[in-house]
Amino acid sequence: MKSKFACILLLLISAIAFGQKPKQYVKLGDKARENGNWPAAYAYYEEAFLLDSTDFDLNLHYAEAARQIKSFELAERLYDKLYEKDRGRVFPDGLFWLAMMQKHNGKYEDAQRNFKKYAKKHKAKADKKLLERAEQEVKSAVWAMEYKENNELTNKIFLELASPEQLQKCRLLAAEMKTLIGPVNSEQSEIAPRIFSTQLTYSTYYSDSLSEYWMMMKSAIETGKENNSGFLVSDIKSYTDEVGLKNEANLFVFDNVAYFTRAENGISQLWSANIEKASLQEGQGKLINPHPINELNEKGFVFTMPCVAEKEGTEILLFSSNRSGGFGGMDIWASERQNDTWKKPINLGGIINTPGDELTPFYLKNHLFFSSDWHEGMGAQDVFCAKDLGNVYDKPLNLGRPFNSPQNDIYFWLDETDLIFLFSSNREGSTGSTEGVYCCNDIYGGKVEFICEKEEISELANLMSSLPVRLYFHNDEPNPDSRDTTTTLPYSSAYESYLEKIPTYLRENGKGLIGEKQEEAETITQDFFDLMVKKGMNDLQTFSDLLLKELEQGKRIRISVRGFASPRAQTDYNVNLTKRRIGSLINYLNEEKGGAFIPFINATATNGGKLEFGQLPFGEYKSDKSVSDDLFNEKQSIFSRAACLERKIEIESVSIIPAEPKAVIEMQEAFDFGKILSSQPAVHIFEIRNIGNAPLQVDSLQASCGCTTPSLDKSFILPGESAQLKAGFDPLRKKGQQVIEVYLFIHGETEPRIITIMADVE
């Protein structure tokens, strides 16, 4: 709501004379806050803060206002400052909100540490609901840290939703997201995107200095046309104007009936309307006879975000509500249509619903898509999918990127035929979001594309999804004080040695600190070993399992490994050090699984499998410039978390090694003339075909006896071509069963190829 905020700020500046005292701004801010007008409260508190940034209560209210208008970067700085000063004595929940802001800003490691600290240190004084939430947020933050791209489980969802025709085409999937759907997005909020007939329907927020409300919109889609900002849409109109109402949103059309939300006195209720058939034929879809769904709505509760679908021949209406009987916050409920009415709604249960908010349900082919701020995710609201197993739902799966971000990602919708997807998000880059302020939702969209790749690449999807693998080292390890470029130590030895030094790292990082500061430094250190070092070894073990599986199928694979070092030593020394670190990984694989990798590394595997390493020893070239290189300050240059993060190698990519040029012979290896007379010479033509990717050269031909005179019409055979080998057999003075061999001597091969000729001479 960027324009709304600017308008409020302009009114404030013009209405208040210069020389106003901070307390007067605070009083006005408090009044706006009590009325729920957070943009105005933020503007007043900001003015007061500029005049006096030392007042604790003002900092607290300013931080809360910044959080409410989704200025998360500012809110994080303010909450951090508050906790640094207060340490939870006056405002124990400040650490919770600091952690929440860090999560919104993508700082997952900091967030999980502060959520854990909040649950441990402020348990007695903190809000009980926030304590429960903090414990869940620890899991979410760790999940987000460990999330990797190419989520095969997400692809499995779309494979289940794909048509048979789509499945016949390809094997791999990619959710290619376009940029914003430009013409419809504004500095206000746009939500609830759907495609109905030839229209894009959505809701937009309107505000000026006098009023604010939601409107349902429609925009024509020009079939088959796109522009740089996504789908090409035009002729934007308002459904709201047609029905003569105000403050409607969340339009969903099913079987020529429109379902939507209408807000009155701050409470949303479910409504429906018919669609005029005549206007539908013209692509207009005019709404007539809007009315509330009285059998579902209850006074005092929110009913919103309707979605209607068909399940086993029955229409079901899904919606989000805080009505009694739920699990807390907003839950997803379902009601079945019975004749012309809707049955009593049923809560979808604890697998889907949580103490948090579950919103924006969408149902397609036994798959429920929804958004939640409780299930393990990347940010505020993430998009999840749970398969309907009949009487129960499967565990919800986070769709990952590009659908989810550290901000709100809601209103997921998927076209059944073409797998076009739409959703709303206030993520970074949205029209009304600037400089860390994520105020407003835009509509995003794209298509689940079926990528037809070579089979050997598509089979590597699991291996690719395990990357990157990051392996960490103690300072100057392995083989300290050396300029060697090789090492005999495997990474497992460096890893175990590193873990043994944890007490030293805890002691050194806590040195000179007392109380909570010391405890915090030690927690940061322990988190590094638990969440980075140990995770790296676990990832390596998973990676090596998948890698060996591919090699055992005869794959020729190249893995690229990049080395890093902290800047304590000279550049040339660090380059050699990173080479040793990469060498320790190769040594690890040589020893892993009883030496199973050795024939692939040495290129002696009988199945043709091969493993190569692309080594990229960066030394300190790519190290963080803020990391200390002071040899006399070991705490900062060796033991600090920043220095620890630089001492690593990273398996960053996997690729197929192109097959070496090679001629491959395909031929008939034997022929039996059967019974022939000794006075009747016989001839047979053999086809010698080159099915390889390099020319085939036959140096010479020989036969095991003079009774056979083989000849070849050409001795140089290109890939895909063939030659004819004429083998004549003279049975004169031969009797009985005869076996003759013809030897083909191929250029570059040590042993001849053999063709066998047989005959029974009478």
Side-chain angles (χ1 to χ4, degrees):
M1 304 169 205
K2 184 178 177 183
S3 60
K4 175 186 176 183
F5 178 66
C7 182
I8 291 172
L9 186 57
L10 181 62
L11 288 173
L12 296 179
I13 293 173
S14 63
I16 302 175
F18 291 113
Q20 190 85 315
K21 294 181 180 180
K23 289 184 178 180
Q24 292 172 303
Y25 285 109
V26 170
K27 186 176 181 180
L28 292 169
D30 290 345
K31 184 176 181 180
R33 177 167 59 92
E34 291 169 3
N35 293 330
N37 190 345
W38 286 107
Y42 174 85
Y44 284 120
Y45 291 140
E46 182 178 45
E47 290 297 310
F49 184 81
L50 292 174
L51 296 172
D52 180 10
S53 62
T54 62
D55 184 88
F56 183 86
D57 288 337
L58 170 58
N59 274 264
L60 174 57
H61 294 157
Y62 188 28
E64 290 177 326
R67 172 170 61 87
Q68 291 290 345
I69 69 165
K70 298 181 175 60
S71 181
F72 295 137
E73 291 183 9
L74 172 61
E76 180 188 344
R77 292 196 300 271
L78 292 170
Y79 281 122
D80 190 30
K81 179 182 176 182
L82 283 164
Y83 190 76
E84 183 70 22
K85 184 176 181 179
D86 174 51
R87 291 291 166 181
R89 292 184 291 270
V90 177
F91 183 47
D93 296 335
L95 188 58
F96 174 89
W97 292 116
L98 170 60
M100 188 64 78
M101 296 305 97
Q102 289 169 331
K103 183 185 178 187
H104 283 314
N105 292 326
K107 300 176 182 178
Y108 299 120
E109 185 180 355
D110 292 338
Q112 64 83 29
R113 181 171 60 253
N114 283 325
F115 279 126
K116 285 195 295 187
K117 184 177 177 181
Y118 171 76
K120 178 181 179 180
K121 291 189 69 66
H122 304 292
K123 192 170 185 178
K125 296 173 64 177
D127 183 284
K128 300 303 181 184
K129 289 185 178 180
L130 293 188
L131 283 173
E132 183 183 11
R133 181 64 179 268
E135 293 171 355
Q136 178 64 24
E137 289 293 352
V138 171
K139 300 176 185 177
S140 283
V142 172
W143 179 91
M145 288 176 63
E146 296 178 349
Y147 172 79
K148 294 181 178 178
E149 305 291 347
N150 303 318
N151 192 321
E152 185 178 332
L153 294 175
T154 302
N155 283 350
K156 183 175 181 292
I157 292 173
F158 294 115
L159 284 170
E160 291 174 350
L161 295 171
S163 67
E165 293 76 18
Q166 290 167 324
L167 291 177
Q168 288 174 2
K169 292 180 181 179
C170 311
R171 301 186 53 167
L172 275 181
L173 293 170
E176 297 293 340
M177 187 165 68
K178 302 180 185 297
T179 53
L180 310 184
I181 304 180
V184 302
N185 287 326
S186 69
E187 292 184 346
Q188 309 287 353
S189 273
E190 281 73 38
I191 61 171
R194 310 279 186 253
I195 293 178
F196 163 58
S197 184
T198 58
Q199 294 177 343
L200 170 70
T201 66
Y202 62 99
S203 301
T204 189
Y205 187 82
Y206 175 83
S207 68
D208 57 26
S209 60
L210 300 177
S211 60
E212 54 185 272
Y213 53 88
W214 285 96
M215 296 187 295
M216 298 186 300
M217 309 297 291
K218 57 184 175 180
S219 181
I221 299 175
E222 295 192 30
T223 307
K225 295 182 180 180
E226 299 178 0
N227 60 11
N228 292 332
S229 61
F231 303 103
L232 188 60
V233 296
S234 60
D235 192 27
I236 299 174
K237 295 182 179 180
S238 170
Y239 272 119
T240 302
D241 293 339
E242 291 179 356
V243 299
L245 301 173
K246 289 288 185 185
N247 224 8
E248 288 78 43
N250 303 320
L251 179 69
F252 192 96
V253 178
F254 182 85
D255 197 21
N256 298 336
V257 178
Y259 301 85
F260 57 94
T261 301
R262 173 169 167 73
E264 293 181 292
N265 300 320
I267 298 294
S268 297
Q269 300 278 274
L270 300 174
W271 282 53
S272 68
N274 297 323
I275 299 178
E276 192 175 284
K277 292 185 178 180
S279 64
L280 182 63
Q281 295 172 355
E282 299 171 0
Q284 298 298 314
K286 185 176 181 180
L287 305 184
I288 58 174
N289 188 29
H291 57 278
I293 306 177
N294 292 322
E295 59 267 39
L296 296 180
N297 295 322
E298 295 180 34
K299 289 184 178 180
F301 295 106
V302 173
F303 292 78
T304 186
M305 304 168 183
C307 164
V308 181
E310 188 172 49
K311 177 181 175 182
E312 299 177 353
T314 301
E315 279 187 32
I316 56 170
L317 172 59
L318 296 160
F319 59 92
S320 185
S321 176
N322 62 349
R323 73 193 301 271
S324 58
F327 287 80
M330 299 288 287
D331 279 4
I332 297 176
W333 300 75
S335 173
E336 292 185 4
R337 178 179 284 281
Q338 189 174 47
N339 300 321
D340 292 330
T341 188
W342 294 99
K343 296 171 65 175
K344 182 180 179 180
I346 297 173
N347 189 288
L348 291 195
I351 294 176
I352 301 298
N353 293 315
T354 69
D357 289 329
E358 280 66 52
L359 307 172
T360 62
F362 172 71
Y363 192 93
L364 179 64
K365 292 183 178 178
N366 294 330
H367 288 76
L368 174 68
F369 296 89
F370 65 99
S371 290
S372 172
D373 63 359
W374 187 273
H375 294 288
E376 294 174 8
M378 296 179 177
Q381 288 280 339
D382 273 19
V383 180
F384 293 84
C385 180
K387 191 171 183 180
D388 189 346
L389 303 178
N391 295 324
V392 69
Y393 280 93
D394 202 356
K395 181 180 178 180
L397 172 70
N398 188 303
L399 291 194
R401 299 187 186 97
F403 308 103
N404 291 319
S405 71
Q407 309 311 324
N408 284 321
D409 300 288
I410 50 180
Y411 289 101
F412 182 85
W413 177 89
L414 185 68
D415 172 70
E416 181 174 354
T417 303
D418 298 320
L419 295 187
I420 294 170
F421 62 84
L422 301 169
F423 64 94
S424 295
S425 178
N426 66 330
R427 62 181 59 190
E428 184 176 0
S430 297
T431 307
S433 299
T434 57
E435 300 177 358
V437 181
Y438 306 96
C439 76
C440 309
N441 291 294
D442 272 2
I443 297 173
Y444 289 80
K447 186 176 182 180
V448 178
E449 299 285 356
F450 289 78
I451 301 176
C452 302
E453 298 282 8
K454 293 181 181 179
E455 183 174 349
E456 64 264 28
I457 296 177
S458 63
E459 290 178 353
L460 288 174
N462 281 343
L463 189 56
M464 293 292 290
S465 68
S466 66
L467 299 180
V469 175
R470 298 185 177 96
L471 308 176
Y472 295 89
F473 296 80
H474 177 55
N475 182 62
D476 204 17
E477 292 287 352
N479 303 107
D481 299 321
S482 170
R483 290 186 176 272
D484 290 343
T485 59
T486 61
T487 180
T488 59
L489 290 173
Y491 176 70
S492 52
S493 296
Y495 170 76
E496 293 296 337
S497 175
Y498 203 8
L499 295 187
E500 290 173 0
K501 294 179 175 63
I502 291 177
T504 302
Y505 275 79
L506 293 172
R507 182 179 65 253
E508 291 296 325
N509 281 309
K511 189 179 293 184
L513 303 174
I514 59 173
E516 190 171 327
K517 288 284 188 181
Q518 181 183 14
E519 184 178 340
E520 186 171 348
E522 292 173 350
T523 300
I524 291 173
T525 302
Q526 189 65 56
D527 279 350
F528 168 74
F529 282 96
D530 291 342
L531 301 175
M532 300 292 187
V533 180
K534 293 179 182 179
K535 178 180 182 297
M537 175 55 88
N538 291 335
D539 288 348
L540 177 59
Q541 292 170 344
T542 300
F543 177 82
S544 61
D545 288 342
L546 296 170
L547 179 62
L548 183 60
K549 182 178 179 181
E550 297 299 323
L551 292 169
E552 288 175 340
Q553 295 178 16
K555 299 286 174 48
R556 297 161 56 85
I557 296 175
R558 179 184 179 88
I559 63 175
S560 295
V561 188
R562 193 176 299 277
F564 302 83
S566 59
R568 273 178 58 87
Q570 296 177 350
T571 297
D572 59 341
Y573 183 93
N574 278 337
V575 168
N576 292 346
L577 172 59
T578 56
K579 288 181 178 179
R580 297 199 301 275
R581 287 174 174 168
I582 294 173
S584 74
L585 169 63
I586 299 173
N587 296 339
Y588 169 85
L589 291 175
N590 271 312
E591 293 186 358
E592 180 72 355
K593 304 184 185 304
F597 285 97
I598 292 176
F600 302 109
I601 295 174
N602 296 339
T604 58
T606 57
N607 68 355
K610 184 178 180 181
L611 179 60
E612 289 185 359
F613 298 88
Q615 301 189 36
L616 305 168
F618 265 175
E620 65 179 270
Y621 301 142
K622 295 291 184 179
S623 65
D624 186 342
K625 301 305 180 186
S626 66
V627 176
S628 173
D629 59 358
D630 185 352
L631 298 178
F632 299 100
N633 187 352
E634 291 189 347
K635 181 175 182 179
Q636 293 303 318
S637 63
I638 293 179
F639 298 103
S640 71
R641 180 181 180 278
C644 291
L645 287 171
E646 298 303 315
R647 301 192 300 262
K648 65 185 176 184
I649 59 175
E650 186 172 297
I651 304 174
E652 62 178 27
S653 67
V654 174
S655 59
I656 295 292
I657 302 173
E660 296 177 357
K662 185 178 181 180
V664 180
I665 298 176
E666 184 180 72
M667 64 182 186
Q668 183 182 6
E669 295 181 348
F671 181 76
D672 189 351
F673 286 110
K675 292 185 177 182
I676 60 174
L677 298 175
S678 61
S679 60
Q680 296 177 343
V683 175
H684 181 72
I685 305 297
F686 292 86
E687 183 180 36
I688 310 298
R689 185 170 181 81
N690 180 5
I691 61 172
N693 60 357
L696 171 67
Q697 181 176 329
V698 182
D699 290 339
S700 63
L701 297 172
Q702 291 182 17
S704 60
C705 78
C707 59
T708 297
T709 53
S711 64
L712 198 65
D713 65 348
K714 56 183 177 182
S715 60
F716 195 78
I717 310 171
L718 294 175
E721 296 185 354
S722 59
Q724 291 187 335
L725 188 153
K726 183 178 180 181
F729 172 57
D730 185 354
L732 186 64
R733 292 187 293 276
K734 302 285 184 182
K735 288 291 184 180
Q737 188 70 37
Q738 305 294 313
V739 179
I740 304 99
E741 292 182 335
V742 176
Y743 304 104
L744 288 79
F745 291 89
I746 308 299
H747 185 76
E749 296 187 4
T750 57
E751 298 293 330
R753 302 295 182 100
I754 300 175
I755 291 178
T756 303
I757 299 173
M758 295 169 287
D760 186 4
V761 182
E762 295 181 345

